[in-house]
Amino acid sequence: MRKALAALLVLAVLGVVGFFLLTAPAAWAFLRGDSGMSEIVPAAGHAINLENGRTLFYAGGCSSCHAVPDQDDKTRLGGGLALKSPFGTFHVPNISPDRNDGIGSWSTADFIRAMREGVSPDGRHYYPAFPYASYQRMSVGDLADLFGFLQTLPAVQGRAPDHELPFPFNIRRGLGLWKLAFLDGRPFMPDAAKSPAWNRGAYLINGPGHCAECHSERNFVGAIVEDRRFAGGPDPEGGRGTVPNITPDPKGIGGWTKDELTTLFKTGETPSFDTVGGAMAPVVRNTAHLSDADREAMAEYLLTLVPRASVKRP
């Protein structure tokens, strides 16, 4: 009996030790191997391109979540927006250049690691409500340019409240296991068989644009179901509505032309002369700042996706 209890105790201790080893932020970086993610600083001699940073800021819709709620100036990225989810309520942080409450004291490497690995400068996991599973596709040069642009925006004082998450979702350490399962560590790789415009669209949609984060179904731990990517999904905030299918399925964007989809990204107008609303309205306010070429590239890519049936309404 004593031997059995001792064996159980040893197993329990090993389990606890294994959990802490596997869930450490450094564990993911070690276990991912040669994933092409080892660089967390841009190449030597990289000159910050603020215009490119501005483009990525609008492609990513940073202000949609991080701007101070109920203010007209969308460059004041003081955070505070409450995002409801099946796991609890997340409060969007301050990413303004304020040195105390925002990211003004961060280094470029801090920012790139946060965006690609979901790790804070003090070594804590970020929750994937911050869509680093998409941002990991971005190049270090683009991330450096984006960080440079963010530093030109107004510094805003004040911190968002802590997340309101029930047990076990409030155990941040457990996110290490989530990352081992769902964060692949692969930057975007162009398809040589496709046009430069298609590759640009694929990069913008899958990287900074993080479109799949809303337009896909998720599994019970909040990861995107790969064979449902872009096919729409339940309201991420738990409402009864659904997020639209953006594949070329008949109930998605099937039948749309490239010009019609490009127009939506510029004005919000659909082929039926309706105007997008809800969470898509601020997305369009951001994509309206992109170049015509970038909007056309995004449309070209989306129209080549594999058609997938829309999620059934509850």
Side-chain angles (χ1 to χ4, degrees), residues 75-117:
T75 66
R76 294 178 54 80
L77 306 181
L81 180 68
L83 295 177
K84 296 180 181 179
S85 81
F87 308 101
T89 300
F90 296 95
H91 294 279
V92 180
N94 183 333
I95 61 165
S96 81
D98 186 86
R99 293 190 62 82
N100 295 315
D101 300 327
I103 61 173
S105 64
W106 288 23
S107 68
T108 301
D110 288 335
F111 181 76
I112 292 172
R113 191 176 185 213
M115 293 284 281
R116 289 185 132 188
E117 300 181 13

Side-chain angles (χ1 to χ4, degrees), residues 1-13:
M1 183 67 177
R2 289 181 178 178
K3 289 183 178 179
L5 289 174
L8 288 174
L9 179 60
V10 169
L11 288 174
V13 171

Side-chain angles (χ1 to χ4, degrees), residues 278-303:
M280 190 62 188
V283 173
V284 170
R285 283 198 292 271
N286 284 291
T287 56
H289 287 275
L290 301 179
S291 67
D292 288 339
D294 278 347
R295 286 190 291 264
E296 290 169 5
M298 292 163 65
E300 179 175 333
Y301 170 73
L302 286 175
L303 290 170

Side-chain angles (χ1 to χ4, degrees), residues 35 50-51 53 77 105 130 144 185 187 222 224 230 240 254 292 296-297 307:
S35 62
L50 292 180
E51 185 58 32
L77 306 181
S105 64
F130 166 37
I224 290 173
F230 297 116
R240 291 187 58 83
D292 288 339
E296 290 169 5

Side-chain angles (χ1 to χ4, degrees), residues 117-176:
E117 300 181 13
V119 176
S120 69
D122 61 3
R124 292 176 300 120
H125 291 299
Y126 284 124
Y127 285 95
F130 166 37
Y132 49 80
S134 290
Y135 295 148
Q136 66 177 329
R137 310 297 180 212
M138 297 177 68
S139 70
V140 290
D142 277 355
L143 287 168
D145 291 345
L146 174 58
F147 182 63
F149 178 77
L150 291 175
Q151 300 309 297
T152 70
L153 301 180
V156 181
Q157 294 182 337
R159 295 192 180 189
D162 291 336
H163 301 318
E164 301 171 65
L165 308 176
F167 179 83
F169 307 119
N170 59 345
I171 302 176
R172 192 181 289 259
R173 184 83 178 208
L175 291 167

